[in-house]
Amino acid sequence: MALMQRVLSGIAPSGDFTLGNYLGALKHWVTFQDSSDALYCVVDLHALTNDIEPAVLRHNSLDAALNLLAVGLDPARCTVFVQSHVTEHTRLTWLLECTATYGELSRMTQFKEKSVKGREAVRAGLFTYPALMAADILLYDTNVVPVGDDQRQHLELTREVAVRFNNRYGDTFVVPEAAIPGTAARVMDLQHPERKMSKSVTSPLGTVGLFDPADEITRKIRKAVTDTDGEVRYDREAKPGLANLLELLAAATGRNPADLARDYTRYGDLKNDVAEALNELLTPVRSRRAELENDLPYVHRVLAEGAEKAHTIAAATYTRAADAMGLLPPTAD
């Protein structure tokens, strides 16, 4: 019997989850539970590259865990944990920082964008965190990483570091592949369809929160930017606002956005159907979230058990990598 492929992904506890997080990532995570050995983590260590209050980080980390369970991740079918609860993440990071090069890390887009105003004030963690991301992946002998297209660069670095390590120290790490969703891989801002919908960018009408009330979602969809020619067709370059709405409907219904466009002659009808489909999709998520909020001991138990399972895998991988690099193993009592 063939072994199931192992899948791993993580999400930062950086604020309220958006529709973009759900359709671009989390919805696909749920589908991997039955076809793969899936591990999903709240990457709280990544949040430390930003200026965040300790109480806010703790709140956001638990909130993120609640959201992961609310969207349909089932601890009986996958492993859900918090990154910092498995110490091998930071231990392996140092080994990978000593494998990656300065040039590779300095070319990472996020570091370049955030350091454009002056590198003297940028935290060192922002520069080195791609090594932590690589450790997150390589610790679990991960075969497949579901990523948005904006994360391809980090996965490519992970692959390059893994290959380099294996070539120098012997076969140690599994070299992962990307799984990039097709429809709605990038959900765009409803008011600024040229940019990705993000929980870190303030856009009151452009960002749909995962737990927005139904009437609020409807209001935002109806106010979404389109264009003035009145022709309903799927054209991402010429009609980005309309394409975004068609992609949202496609992601919610499982249909093709170009095919959907042929069903409409008026923008208003399309917007009504998008709003209805999204509310139907998110209603069970909101209900499950409310249940979980009333049973926090269960959530903490899931995270503790998930960390224990993750640690068992991660410890073996770290020991293998440390031994390959020549670190002296601790002696038994």
Side-chain angles (χ1 to χ4, degrees), residues 190-191 205 219-226 241 245 271:
L190 296 177
Q191 293 296 311
L205 286 176
R219 184 175 74 90
K220 290 178 179 180
I221 294 297
R222 286 177 176 169
K223 289 182 175 294
V225 168
T226 50
L245 291 172
K271 288 183 174 183

Side-chain angles (χ1 to χ4, degrees), residues 251-332:
T253 62
R255 293 184 60 192
N256 180 279
D259 291 341
L260 284 168
R262 289 190 280 271
D263 293 343
Y264 296 93
T265 58
R266 301 197 317 170
Y267 292 174
D269 292 338
L270 171 62
K271 288 183 174 183
N272 287 338
D273 284 355
V274 171
E276 182 179 349
L278 291 179
N279 281 318
E280 182 177 347
L281 185 69
L282 296 180
T283 293
V285 177
R286 289 193 288 260
S287 298
R288 179 58 177 152
R289 165 76 194 214
E291 293 174 359
L292 291 164
E293 287 175 345
N294 290 321
D295 194 1
L296 292 181
Y298 166 77
V299 177
H300 286 293
R301 187 165 63 252
V302 166
L303 295 178
E305 292 173 355
E308 184 176 354
K309 289 169 62 178
H311 169 72
T312 299
I313 303 169
T317 306
Y318 174 79
T319 298
R320 192 167 68 238
D323 182 66
M325 290 189 85
L327 297 181
L328 185 67
T331 57

Side-chain angles (χ1 to χ4, degrees), residues 8-199:
L8 177 131
S9 198
I11 192 162
S14 53
D16 295 334
F17 283 22
T18 71
L19 181 65
N21 297 131
Y22 182 57
L23 294 180
L26 303 180
K27 187 168 177 280
H28 301 280
W29 292 12
V30 173
T31 65
F32 278 113
Q33 293 181 116
D34 295 319
S35 62
S36 310
D37 178 11
L39 297 97
Y40 300 117
C41 60
V42 177
V43 288
D44 54 341
L45 295 172
H46 289 293
L48 296 176
T49 61
N50 299 309
D51 188 13
I52 185 169
E53 290 293 326
V56 173
L57 177 57
R58 277 189 288 271
H59 172 273
N60 286 356
S61 297
L62 179 58
D63 186 71
L66 282 162
N67 291 346
L68 293 184
L69 297 175
V71 300
L73 295 188
D74 179 359
R77 295 151 60 206
C78 69
T79 302
V80 181
F81 65 101
V82 176
Q83 180 190 33
S84 65
H85 294 177
V86 181
T87 57
E88 284 76 18
H89 285 260
T90 51
R91 298 178 72 193
L92 183 61
T93 296
W94 177 247
L95 304 191
L96 298 183
E97 285 179 2
C98 294
T99 305
T101 68
Y102 175 87
E104 288 170 330
L105 296 178
S106 64
R107 287 192 291 273
M108 294 293 102
T109 300
Q110 188 169 10
F111 174 74
K112 290 197 296 184
E113 289 177 350
K114 292 190 176 182
S115 63
V116 68
K117 294 182 180 179
R119 296 187 176 184
E120 292 299 318
V122 175
R123 299 185 184 200
L126 184 64
F127 181 72
T128 61
Y129 98 96
L132 174 59
M133 184 178 292
D136 298 339
I137 297 167
L138 298 179
L139 270 175
Y140 298 99
D141 295 331
T142 305
N143 305 110
V144 174
V145 182
V147 294
D149 57 5
D150 57 332
Q151 291 294 329
R152 290 193 201 199
Q153 187 185 38
H154 292 109
L155 184 60
E156 282 306 309
L157 175 65
T158 298
R159 289 170 50 82
E160 290 167 9
V161 168
V163 169
R164 183 178 306 139
F165 192 104
N166 289 347
N167 287 340
R168 181 170 182 182
Y169 300 110
D171 192 16
T172 304
F173 296 123
V174 172
V175 181
E177 301 288 341
I180 300 174
T183 300
R186 296 190 76 187
V187 177
M188 312 308 282
D189 189 290
L190 296 177
Q191 293 296 311
H192 302 277
E194 74 283 354
R195 74 187 186 199
K196 185 179 176 182
M197 186 182 291
S198 172
K199 60 184 187 302

Side-chain angles (χ1 to χ4, degrees), residues 201-213:
V201 176
T202 301
S203 181
L205 286 176
T207 301
V208 176
L210 188 56
F211 301 100
D212 280 352

